[in-house]
Amino acid sequence: TAHCRHTHEEEAMRETVLEVNDLNVWYRSGTGLRKRRHQVLHDVSFTLYRGEILGLVGESGCGKSTLLRQLKSDLAPYGSKSGRICYYGQNLTEIDHRQQSQEIGYVLQNPDNQIIGTVVEEDVGFGPENMGVPTDDIWKRVNDSLEKVGMTAYRYQSPNKLSGGQKQRVAIARALANDPQVLLCDEATSALDPQTTKAILHLLKHLNETLGITIVLITHEMAVVKEICDRVAVMEYGRVVEQGEVFTVFAEPKQDITKSFIHTTSNLQKVEALIAEDSPVTRLQPGELIVRLSYVQRNVNEPIISAVSQMFNVSLNIIFADITIVQDSPIGGTVAIISGERKQITKAIEYLIEKNVGVEVIKDARADR
């Protein structure tokens, strides 16, 4: 049996569920002389640890869904690949397809594409029945799975008559009925309204915490990652361009695509539009400047703004504030107009930087003073 390598000692101490090494995937398209081979994934590598929720983030067409299909050994017709995917240290291609289907569950963006039974309980029980599970055990699994997703009262209803959120709960129950170790969710909330999305995400987090199930969550929204994920891998043009602990990636994004995704979760970017519109809110008096302050250190409880005002005799007028909790720690920042003596403003900015606060000067009228 082939085994995958580990790259960091500290990561090797955690139990690895899935490990992807240098994965490349090509698809063929066209016919005859126009037949071409198109590469979809390029040298993708990442590790999935037991009990975590990993977010795979990227824009449409970046290869997220293709990657997720590889984790189920589902290669589309005319496709080819290189590299290796290991499940608990064993090459995935060497694992029986039935075992894979049982241990790795799959939840699609559109739950309608997974409906099999005419009523909910038949739909949920299809997997175990197909696996040859004894009848009594099938019904026990169906009961347990429906209870876990809060859908017991709908067991005799037609799946087609349920709401989008209810259908997605049934899809999750269907996956849980196989008693999987891993749950792969492909844009599982993108077709839902914000309130239903939040409910499904909280359900997934609850299942992760109570059952210890490991989850891979594909999404194009960083807000989803911020809500429930432990780690995140950002994809662009078929490559994983950045990955790490969610707090760290949010606090100090390295790639432009990551910064762009994170900006969509914050209203601190509105200041540029207001400046461009010459909004009265962003008009400065001589000697003033607008700064964006980013809080990127865990458990920063010190009242930074009030401290700076008192220590350096400067005034900070907050235009926007956006503080959120990521992995139980505050992160975010404020946009503020600073006014005062030029030398004191400079000292205040230096102090903020010393306190590990990110300082970005957006507009500066100090030259007019």
Side-chain angles (χ1 to χ4, degrees):
T1 300
H3 287 266
C4 290
R5 65 181 183 274
H6 294 280
T7 55
H8 301 289
E9 289 183 9
E10 61 186 31
E11 291 182 349
M13 293 175 65
R14 304 171 64 183
E15 186 171 12
T16 298
V17 177
L18 277 165
E19 189 168 8
V20 179
N21 286 323
D22 303 323
L23 181 65
N24 295 275
V25 172
W26 297 265
Y27 287 147
R28 291 197 181 106
S29 60
T31 57
L33 295 175
R34 294 183 179 275
K35 185 178 291 185
R36 297 183 179 181
R37 196 168 79 145
H38 173 63
Q39 188 165 0
V40 183
L41 298 180
H42 303 258
D43 298 318
V44 171
S45 296
F46 69 88
T47 302
L48 177 68
Y49 298 109
R50 184 176 182 181
E52 75 171 355
I53 302 179
L54 172 69
L56 288 175
V57 186
E59 296 176 341
S60 297
C62 74
K64 304 187 303 294
S65 293
T66 296
L67 174 56
L68 205 68
R69 284 196 295 270
Q70 306 314 303
L71 303 183
K72 285 281 287 182
S73 288
D74 180 15
L75 190 63
Y78 313 112
S80 59
K81 66 181 178 182
S82 67
R84 180 173 291 163
I85 303 174
C86 290
Y87 178 68
Y88 282 107
Q90 185 177 2
N91 196 324
L92 196 61
T93 59
E94 299 176 2
I95 299 176
D96 177 76
H97 183 72
R98 176 169 293 208
Q99 182 184 349
Q100 287 186 41
S101 298
Q102 179 177 341
E103 298 203 11
I104 303 177
Y106 204 10
V107 180
L108 299 175
Q109 174 181 354
N110 185 355
D112 290 336
N113 294 337
Q114 289 182 289
I115 292 175
I116 299 171
T118 56
V119 295
V120 166
E121 67 173 12
E122 290 179 358
D123 195 55
V124 174
F126 177 82
E129 183 179 8
N130 194 44
M131 298 286 180
V133 174
T135 302
D136 289 346
D137 290 341
I138 291 174
W139 293 120
K140 183 179 185 307
R141 291 191 184 195
V142 169
N143 293 336
D144 289 347
S145 298
L146 288 174
E147 184 177 350
K148 286 169 184 171
V149 302
M151 290 295 290
T152 301
Y154 299 87
R155 63 184 306 145
Y156 301 120
Q157 289 199 24
S158 167
N160 292 305
K161 295 182 179 180
L162 300 175
S163 69
Q166 290 170 336
K167 287 179 181 178
Q168 203 59 284
R169 286 176 180 270
V170 171
I172 294 170
R174 187 189 307 114
L176 292 178
N178 282 334
D179 194 23
Q181 297 291 312
V182 178
L183 193 61
L184 308 178
C185 301
D186 189 358
E187 298 276 12
T189 61
S190 64
L192 305 176
D193 63 78
Q195 185 174 354
T196 307
T197 291
K198 200 171 188 70
I200 294 296
L201 291 177
H202 285 176
L203 171 62
L204 291 173
K205 184 65 174 177
H206 176 72
L207 295 173
N208 166 259
E209 291 175 344
T210 57
L211 303 180
I213 192 167
T214 306
I215 298 175
V216 179
L217 187 64
I218 276 197
T219 181
H220 61 274
E221 299 178 272
M222 211 62 166
V224 169
V225 171
K226 181 174 67 175
E227 190 77 22
I228 67 168
C229 293
D230 302 302
R231 288 191 308 119
V232 59
V234 182
M235 293 189 67
E236 185 178 31
Y237 304 126
R239 293 178 169 84
V240 173
V241 296
E242 188 164 359
Q243 58 182 308
E245 188 183 37
V246 170
F247 183 92
T248 302
V249 172
F250 265 80
E252 299 181 274
K254 302 292 191 299
Q255 301 297 321
D256 288 341
I257 183 70
T258 311
K259 294 174 184 177
S260 176
F261 274 123
I262 291 172
H263 286 170
T264 64
T265 71
S266 172
N267 66 17
L268 298 183
Q269 310 310 311
K270 294 178 183 178
V271 65
E272 279 92 349
L274 292 177
I275 291 173
E277 297 167 4
D278 192 28
S279 168
V281 175
T282 59
R283 289 175 190 164
L284 300 179
Q285 299 296 319
E288 294 181 335
L289 70 159
I290 298 177
V291 294
R292 181 160 41 220
L293 307 178
S294 302
Y295 308 135
V296 296
Q297 189 177 29
R298 284 189 183 273
N299 299 320
V300 177
N301 295 318
E302 182 180 345
I304 294 289
I305 288 181
S306 60
V308 165
S309 298
Q310 295 172 15
M311 291 173 65
F312 302 100
N313 195 28
V314 296
S315 173
L316 284 89
N317 178 26
I318 296 174
I319 304 174
F320 293 115
D322 190 355
I323 308 296
T324 188
I325 303 299
V326 175
Q327 292 186 312
D328 299 324
S329 293
I331 192 170
T334 58
V335 174
I337 296 176
I338 302 183
S339 57
E341 293 184 8
R342 183 169 182 171
K343 183 184 294 185
Q344 293 301 102
I345 291 177
T346 300
K347 288 182 178 180
I349 290 175
E350 290 173 351
Y351 175 82
L352 288 168
I353 293 172
E354 287 177 5
K355 289 293 184 178
N356 293 314
V357 175
V359 180
E360 181 184 1
V361 177
I362 306 297
K363 187 178 180 181
D364 193 343
R366 285 177 294 176
D368 301 329
R369 188 153 180 165

